[in-house]
Amino acid sequence: MPSTLVIGGGPAGLAAAWAAVQTGDTVTLLDDNPALGGQIWRGEIPSRYRRFLDPRVTVRTGVQIHSAAQLPSADRIILATGTRERFLPFPGWTLPHVLGAGGLQAMVKSGLPIAGKRVVVAGSGPLLLAVAAYLRKRGAKVLLVAEQAPYARVAAFTRSLWRQPGKLLQAAQLGLGLRYRTDSWPLRAAPGSVTLQGHGVLPCDYLACGFGLVTNTELPELLGCKVESGAVITDSKQRTTVPHIYFAGAGSVDRSILEGQIAGFDLERARALYPARDAAVRFDRLLDETFQLRSELNTLATPETIICRCEDVPFSAVWQQRDWRSAKLQTRCGMGPCQGRICGPALEHLCGWPAASVRPPIFPTRLENLLDLRE
Amino acid sequence: MTTDVLIAGAGIVGAAIAAAFREEGGKCLVVEPHTVGGGATAAGMGHVVVMDDSPAQLALTEYSRRLWDALPVPPSVEREHRGTLWVAADAEEMAEVARKHALFPASEILDERALYEAEPELRPGLAGGLLVPGDSVVYAPTAASWLLRLTPVRYTAIESLTPDGALLADGTQVSAGLTILACGTGITRLLPELPIKPRKGHLAITDRYPGFLRHQLVELGYLKSAHGHSNESVAFNVQPRSTGQILIGSSRQYGDESPDIRPELLSRMLRRAVEYMPRLVDLQVIRTWTGFRAATPDSLPLIGPVRDRVWVAAGHEGLGITTSLGSAALLLDRLLGDTPAIPPEPYLPERFA
Amino acid sequence: MIAVLINGRRIDVEPGTTVAAAVMRLQAGFRRSVTGELRGPLCGMGICMECRVTLNGRPHERSCQLLCAPGMEISTDA
Ligand SMILES: Cc1cc2nc3c(=O)[nH]c(=O)nc-3n(C[C@H](O)[C@H](O)[C@H](O)COP(=O)(O)OP(=O)(O)OC[C@H]3O[C@@H](n4cnc5c(N)ncnc54)[C@H](O)[C@@H]3O)c2cc1C
Ligand code: FES
C-alpha cells in the first residue's frame, strides 16, 4: 500500500489525512500540539468534520518536526503546517496583557478563565470577529473590536457577501452584538489599558491583537519547496515544486479543508473540488484586499519600541541596517529562540525585508534530538 | 574613481586593515558585495586564541592577541576574557599539556580535580587540562563594523583586477595606489593561482544557560582532527557567550562547497560534544549554521604582495578572527617601511610561487 | 482535577489545561526578557517563546504547548 505522511493536524491536515485514507493509502499524521484540530479547532472539532478523524489514520501528537532528517519515509508527504498571526510592534505591545487574538483564544481554549474580563480585540481581518464572538460566548466583556481597515472597504466587502449567503450568515452571527469599529487600531498600550486610534484610552484586562495571517513556510522551505512572497508555490493538485510533496492550508478554514482534500485524494476526486477551492482562493484574495494593512501602522513603533522580543532589540537599532542579514548580525534582531518568526513578518512590513532562509532545526529543540540525524 | 588604498572584503580581515591604514592617513575604500562581517567572520566562533602548530603560527597568534587586548572595543563586541581550557582525555594528551605549558608563559596545568572545579559539567574520567587565561572571546561581526566605522564601504564586488586598480561589479573603474584583497575564500575567483581551499565548518548555538560553562573548552584531540588533512573531522569545542548561550563546534571538511547543513556531520559534531559534556543533551539548540575557512597547505595565511600594487591578506583558516589584527599590522609596517614586530617572511605569498 | 506546583504554590486545574493557562490563572508572571521586562504568552501556539518557564528543573520550556500533569513543578521568573 502506498504511504502518505501528513504534517499538521489542523483542518487542512485532517482533511488531507482523511482523503488519503479514502484512496487506500496508509496514512500517518504528525502534529506538534498536544491535541488535534490545529489553532482554529484546538481539540474541539465541529461535528460536521468529525468524519475526518478516521480511525485508520495513525496519529502522533506532540511531535515537532525540526529537521528534514527526522521525517519518516513515505511515498507522499502532505504539508499542512498552517498559519500564524502577524504582529506589528507599537509602544507597549510587549506588556503581558497584550496577546495575539488567536493567542488569547488559544489560552482560553486551554484553560484560561475569561468570564467577566474586559477584552479589547484589535488589528485586522475576519479572525478578530471570530475571536471576539468566542470570547463573548465564554463570558468575556468584549469592549470593542477595532479593525484597522477603512469603513468603505469593509462595507463593500460585506455587500459582496450577498453573493456568498453561507458566509453572510456566518458574518452576521459573528457580528451579533459586538461593537465593531473600522478605521481604528492600537496606538499604544499601557498596563491595564490601550489607546486606540479615533477612540482614546480604553481600560482593559486583555488586548487581543493580530494583523492578519502569515503562512508557516519554514518546513516546506526546509524540504526544498519553492516559496515566493510568503506563499508556498503549488499547482492545482496542491503539489509543491518538490515531487511527492504537497502543501495545503493557506488561508481560511473552508479553503484549507478543500486544499487538504485535493492534496489527499486521487486526481479524479480531487478535480471535482477544484471549482470550490478556486472560489475559496478568490474569496481569500478579496479578504486580503479588504484587510490590507494601512501605511499608518508602519509609524506606530517609536525608536524605543522593542522589535525583537527574544533579544529586546529596539527599532532604533534596526532601522539603520541595510538588510535583514545585517540586522541579525549587527543587532541580534531575530537571533533568539523564535528564530525571527515574530519580528521577521513585522520587519517585512516595516522595512520591506524579505524573510531569510531556513536551516535545521526550524524550531528550538533539545540537543539530544539532533544526535542521530541522517542525510 | 581614485583612492589610495582599495580593500576588497569587509570581513574581519578587511576591516582590520582598513582601520590600521586609515589611522596612518591613507584614503581607503572598502568594497563588499554582501554585508559587513557576513562571510566567514559571521560563521566563526570568535575565539581569540594562541595556537602553536608552528613557530610562525605561535608568533602571529600571540602578537595578534596582544593587539586585541590593546583595542578599546565597545560593549557590542561582547569581549570576554574567558581563557581557553585545553582538555586532556588521557595521559598522552597530558603530555601535550606539558609541552604547551612550556610555550604559554601564564598558563596553568590542571590536574583531574582542578579540571572539574574549573568546569563541573565535564564528564568524569578526564585526565586534566591546561588553562590559558589570556585568551578571549569576541563577537566578530560587530567588531568588523566597529573597525569600519570611519571607512566608506561600497556595496559591490571587485569584478577583476586592472593594471591600475580594479573594475567593480557595478561597472565603476577604480584606480588605486594599492589594492588589498581580503576576500576570504572569494579570493580564488580573482587570483585562481593561490593555493586556497574552502574548508567547511558547522556550528550550533543554544538558548541562554548562564553559568553552565565558564571557559572556552577545546579538546586536545583537536590537534589530530584540525591538522590531519583528512576530509572530515569533528572536535569538542564549546564556548560560553556573554549572553549565556553555548556555542558548540566544530567540524572540518574539504570538498563540500554547499552552505547547507550536513545533518550527519552535525550529529557527529554534537555527539562528540556530548561525549565530553553529557548534560548538553538537555539544552535547547536554537540555531545551526555553516561557514567556510580559507585554508592553505601550511595552515598559515598569505599576507603580502602578489604582484605590482596588489597585496593579499587571506587564507587565515580557522584563526582569522584572532590573526586579523596581526595581519593588518604586518601590512601597515610594510607600507610604511617600519620594522615589523614579528618576522613577516613565513606569511609571504611568494612561499608558494 | 490535576494538581501542579507553580513557584511552590499548589493549583488544581481541569484536565486539558496547559501550563500557560495554569500560570495565568495564578496571575504569576512568566519570564523576564533579556533586559528584565516582564513578559507573557503572545501567540499561544508555540512560536513566540514568550511563555517559557522552567519545568521540573528544565528551563526554556514553552508552557503553552504543555498540558498540566500531576505533580509538575513549574517555576517562572516572576
Ligand atoms: C566554523 C568556523 C569557526 C571559526 N572559529 C574561529 C575562532 O574561534 N577564532 C578565530 O580566530 N577564527 C575562527 N574562524 C576563522 C575566521 O572566521 C576566519 O578566518 C575569518 O573570519 C576570515 O576573515 P576574512 O575577512 O578573511 O573573511 P570573510 O569574513 O569571509 O570576509 C571576506 C569578505 O570578502 C567579500 N568578498 C568576496 N569576494 C569579493 C570580491 N570579489 N570583491 C569584494 N569583496 C569580496 C565577502 O563577501 C566577505 O564579506 C572560524 C571559521 C569557521 C568557518
Ligand atoms: S505563547 Fe508563544 S510560544 Fe507559548
Side-chain angles (χ1 to χ4, degrees), chain C residues 41-44 46-49 51 62 64:
Chain C
L42 175 71
C43 72
I47 274 176
C48 72
M49 307 286 148
C51 66
R62 275 164 273 181
C64 71

Side-chain angles (χ1 to χ4, degrees), chain B residues 9 11-13 32-33 40-41 44-45 47 158 183 317-322:
Chain B
I12 192 71
V13 174
E32 165 60 55
T41 298
M45 288 184 107
H47 184 199
I158 288 198
C183 32
E317 216 203 313
L319 284 170
I321 308 301
T322 307

